Amino acid sequence: MSIHFKNVNYIYQQATPFEQQALFDISLTIPSGSYTAIIGHTGSGKSTLLQHLNGLLKPTSGQITIEKQIITPTTKNKALSSLRKQVGIVFQFPEAQLFEETVLKDIAFGPKNFGSSEQEATQLARQMAHLVNLPEELLEKSPFELSGGQMRRVAIAGILAMEPQVLVLDEPTAGLDPRGRTEIMEIFQALRIKQHLTIILVTHQMDDVARYANHVIVLEKGRLLASGTPTEIFSDPEWLRTHHLALPQAARFASALQKKSGFEFSKMPLTEEELANQLVEQLGKRG
Amino acid sequence: MNKIILGRYIPGGASFVHRLDPRSKLILSFFFIVVIFFANNVQSYLLLGVFTLFCVYLSKISLAFFIKGVRPLIWLILFTVVLQIFFTRGGQVYWQFGPFSVTHFGLVNGGFVFCRFVLIIFMSTLLTLTTAPLEIASALEALMLPLKKFKVPVYEISLMISIALRFVPTLMDETEKIMNAQRSRGVNFGEGSLIKQLKAVVPLLIPLFVGAFNRAEDLATAMEARGYRGGEGRTKYRVHFWKRRDTLSCVLFGLLTLLLLFLRNW
């Protein structure tokens, strides 16, 4: 499912003294099947933007096209409910949305809302719990007895159970330990490859952007600053610095090495693998 | 959720009303609400109306804002006014049908009730718009201090009030967030039959309560870790100063009351 924003503006609490514009004239395209990362400072409008993706917010002006559905300021809420099934959003700290008596019921809640039968929904829930590595014995427990990391998995499974075609992730690994982090990121990656999902990731982790994304959107103060491949976005360290964005660790190391020892990289390495490969190649040449 | 004006604070005012001592603001707005009930004819209501508008002018906040504050209550107000109009007897009868009748007294009374509501809402909106919630809480504590003699746990009450006020916006944000999360999972709030609507509230209320319990526990731990042991022997950071403008406003309210008593028919 490809997504197009055309001149989208969004104003919070319009026509009150608290009025505040969060998005300014955003036009962008998220290609179908892409892994798009949205980066930018806190308060740059990332979260506002992602709430537009399934119609939780409607643009104040402009228009959004998601596959065939067009969202304009006057679109009725009724028309949006099918969109919510197609675009699943994992919000920041999604464990706050758990409420059912058992983990299984909670995961099955989404599919049931979209018309699955009890049996189908439970079966889907089991499948998704397995997918996010939740042990079988937890399924009949209350979600409130689990650890923070397990709760996060339950919440994510609850979104995946709706079988969305677009998966929107708002800092899905915030507050997790390093191991849980890689595990969850790898689950998303595997899903994308297996089921051809479009993934939209909002994050501050540049390493994740470099490792997984193939399309990057940079926001600043509600405006679209740049969009392109990670290589394009991370190619100019100076530009990143002026906009208070960080480089991935491998790139930081590479540019420091370049400065110190005159080591020449043919292409800025973004991940550890790329860095290692280039180092081996160059050292091999030197003999 | 964002349409509620009552109970909101607009910062950044250097206006006369903004800079008043919160204690005097609190007393005077209570006092004003009592005074409103003394008014009983057109002249006295006119006086109170003009005075209220004067206060609004002093606060430098646009009048449209106050009118918005009345809007959520308009149905309650109209309901009361209509009851007054239909069921008050006396004076010239304009229209009658069974137990219903529109009389001269009824119309006048209805008008007065309407004015009373609007004036009370304006004044209390003025108080909350110009006073930060924590200031209201500390003013309440200062005003309740005499009750300590009667074994009222003044300190605990004011602590609870200030914590409650502090967490109102946080809980509102959280409500909004959970609502959005559940909407994304296919819950439609405020749609369908009454039972359906009530059922839709469960996925919102349970996480909200659980969140509040967790937050209370964290807050209590954090308070203890910072050496909190209860009200006894604490010093205050927020100290109130009674200034000349506070005395001035008290005098103004006194004059208003005198004038009102004079205008009112005994």
Side-chain angles (χ1 to χ4, degrees):
Chain A
M1 296 211 343
S2 59
I3 297 168
H4 302 275
F5 278 58
K6 204 170 129 204
N7 307 105
V8 170
N9 285 290
Y10 187 76
I11 303 171
Y12 279 104
Q13 307 193 41
Q14 201 172 17
T16 71
F18 304 112
E19 181 175 298
Q20 201 183 8
Q21 185 156 1
L23 295 180
F24 296 84
D25 197 35
I26 301 267
S27 294
L28 54 83
T29 298
I30 297 171
S32 178
S34 72
Y35 199 130
T36 299
I38 302 178
I39 58 176
H41 250 241
T42 336
S44 58
K46 295 176 303 230
S47 296
T48 309
L49 183 79
L50 74 84
Q51 287 181 50
H52 280 82
L53 295 172
N54 73 352
L56 287 173
L57 295 178
K58 283 176 280 186
T60 309
S61 70
Q63 110 178 28
I64 300 165
T65 318
I66 301 172
E67 196 74 7
K68 284 188 186 82
Q69 180 127 30
I70 296 171
I71 308 175
T72 61
T74 52
T75 304
K76 294 267 185 311
N77 280 329
K78 275 238 168 72
L80 295 173
S81 66
S82 70
L83 188 64
R84 304 245 160 96
K85 183 184 171 354
Q86 290 162 340
V87 181
I89 300 191
V90 177
F91 282 92
Q92 241 174 75
F93 299 102
E95 51 272 28
Q97 74 192 27
L98 305 178
F99 74 99
E100 283 276 17
E101 299 142 58
T102 68
V103 169
L104 205 59
K105 273 190 187 169
D106 202 285
I107 301 176
F109 179 68
K112 268 194 282 181
N113 282 330
F114 289 115
S116 295
S117 71
E118 186 82 40
Q119 207 185 354
E120 275 171 353
T122 316
Q123 204 196 335
L124 249 169
R126 267 182 206 288
Q127 213 179 314
M128 292 306 157
H130 181 70
L131 194 72
V132 298
N133 295 335
L134 276 173
E136 188 74 27
E137 65 266 20
L138 291 184
L139 297 186
E140 294 301 327
K141 277 197 175 175
S142 156
F144 299 112
E145 290 173 39
L146 309 185
S147 74
Q150 289 168 332
M151 281 165 91
R152 178 79 54 98
R153 276 158 210 253
V154 176
I156 290 173
I159 302 294
L160 294 178
M162 303 183 332
E163 302 187 293
Q165 284 159 282
V166 178
L167 189 60
V168 182
L169 310 162
D170 191 356
E171 299 200 39
T173 58
L176 288 185
D177 57 86
R179 202 174 132 211
R181 223 181 190 132
T182 14
E183 235 181 274
I184 286 188
M185 289 310 290
E186 288 300 328
I187 291 171
F188 294 137
Q189 179 73 341
L191 267 174
R192 189 171 99 84
I193 292 165
K194 246 188 279 170
Q195 303 180 9
H196 309 290
L197 289 180
T198 307
I199 294 188
I200 299 165
L201 171 74
V202 171
T203 188
H204 291 290
Q205 304 288 328
M206 296 305 162
D207 288 332
D208 286 345
V209 177
R211 182 174 303 273
Y212 300 110
N214 55 24
H215 180 58
V216 182
I217 290 167
V218 188
L219 292 181
E220 189 180 67
K221 293 186 181 139
R223 291 179 172 83
L224 181 74
L225 199 59
S227 76
T229 63
T231 325
E232 285 164 10
I233 298 293
F234 292 127
S235 63
D236 187 354
E238 219 29 66
W239 180 84
L240 288 168
R241 204 162 305 140
T242 50
H243 294 290
H244 307 281
L245 293 165
L247 271 176
Q249 234 160 15
R252 232 180 310 163
F253 177 81
S255 71
L257 193 66
Q258 221 162 12
K259 239 182 237 164
K260 264 242 163 94
S261 62
F263 215 95
E264 279 299 323
F265 288 98
S266 52
K267 181 179 151 256
M268 180 67 87
L270 296 181
T271 62
E272 282 90 346
E273 286 82 23
E274 281 176 34
L275 176 68
N277 284 342
Q278 289 212 35
L279 282 176
V280 168
E281 202 180 296
Q282 299 249 357
L283 289 173
K285 265 187 214 156
R286 283 191 191 184
Chain B
M1 195 98 13
N2 290 322
K3 284 176 192 122
I4 302 165
I5 299 295
L6 208 73
R8 279 278 197 104
Y9 168 60
I10 303 184
S15 74
F16 183 85
V17 187
H18 272 91
R19 285 186 300 170
L20 278 178
D21 189 308
R23 286 174 299 176
S24 59
K25 262 189 275 188
L26 206 61
I27 299 175
L28 290 178
S29 31
F30 278 132
F31 179 71
F32 186 80
I33 288 169
V34 175
V35 163
I36 285 172
F37 289 94
F38 284 111
N40 64 355
N41 57 19
V42 179
Q43 298 93 301
S44 51
Y45 273 109
L46 211 60
L47 172 71
L48 288 177
V50 169
F51 184 78
T52 310
L53 288 181
F54 176 64
C55 291
V56 169
Y57 166 75
L58 280 183
S59 76
K60 289 185 182 152
I61 296 171
S62 94
L63 188 66
F65 219 161
F66 289 84
I67 294 170
K68 252 184 207 154
V70 176
R71 216 181 280 162
L73 294 172
I74 196 72
W75 292 112
L76 178 74
I77 298 174
L78 286 183
F79 178 71
T80 324
V81 169
V82 166
L83 278 189
Q84 282 284 342
I85 290 177
F86 280 140
F87 291 105
T88 312
R89 267 148 224 268
Q92 199 184 340
V93 178
Y94 297 120
W95 180 82
Q96 191 152 24
F97 178 80
F100 304 103
S101 62
V102 175
T103 63
H104 181 70
F105 276 17
L107 283 180
V108 171
N109 259 345
F112 284 172
V113 166
F114 182 78
C115 290
R116 219 175 271 168
F117 263 116
V118 170
L119 289 178
I120 289 177
I121 293 169
F122 266 46
M123 243 343 162
S124 41
T125 311
L126 183 69
L127 173 73
T128 53
L129 285 182
T130 59
T131 321
L134 285 179
E135 278 195 316
I136 295 184
S138 84
L140 265 178
E141 184 187 1
L143 292 176
M144 284 192 304
L145 224 50
L147 293 177
K148 228 177 177 170
K149 290 214 174 74
F150 304 104
K151 305 224 160 132
V152 178
V154 172
Y155 177 77
E156 279 77 8
I157 293 174
S158 76
L159 179 76
M160 282 193 288
I161 293 175
S162 39
I163 290 179
L165 286 173
R166 156 67 186 81
F167 280 103
V168 167
T170 315
L171 280 176
M172 292 266 252
D173 282 354
E174 193 145 326
T175 312
E176 186 104 32
K177 252 194 236 155
I178 297 172
M179 268 175 107
N180 275 340
Q182 306 298 27
R183 267 197 202 118
S184 301
R185 295 167 86 193
V187 179
N188 290 318
F189 292 102
E191 274 172 37
S193 65
L194 190 65
I195 294 179
K196 241 188 181 166
Q197 287 194 37
L198 282 176
K199 269 192 179 159
V201 175
V202 176
L204 173 64
L205 277 189
I206 293 179
L208 209 54
F209 272 105
V210 172
F213 283 133
N214 289 337
R215 179 162 288 133
E217 210 168 310
D218 289 348
L219 182 68
T221 315
M223 280 170 75
E224 278 186 349
R226 296 169 79 180
Y228 177 81
R229 280 198 195 85
E232 225 44 56
R234 293 196 71 196
T235 53
K236 276 181 82 71
Y237 172 69
R238 224 177 284 272
V239 184
H240 302 295
F241 295 102
W242 191 271
K243 294 203 208 75
R244 202 187 299 156
R245 67 169 73 87
D246 297 300
T247 320
L248 183 69
S249 10
C250 286
V251 170
L252 214 61
F253 269 78
L255 286 178
L256 172 80
T257 317
L258 286 180
L259 206 58
L260 184 74
L261 290 177
F262 174 73
L263 281 178
R264 154 194 163 90
N265 355 329
W266 303 95

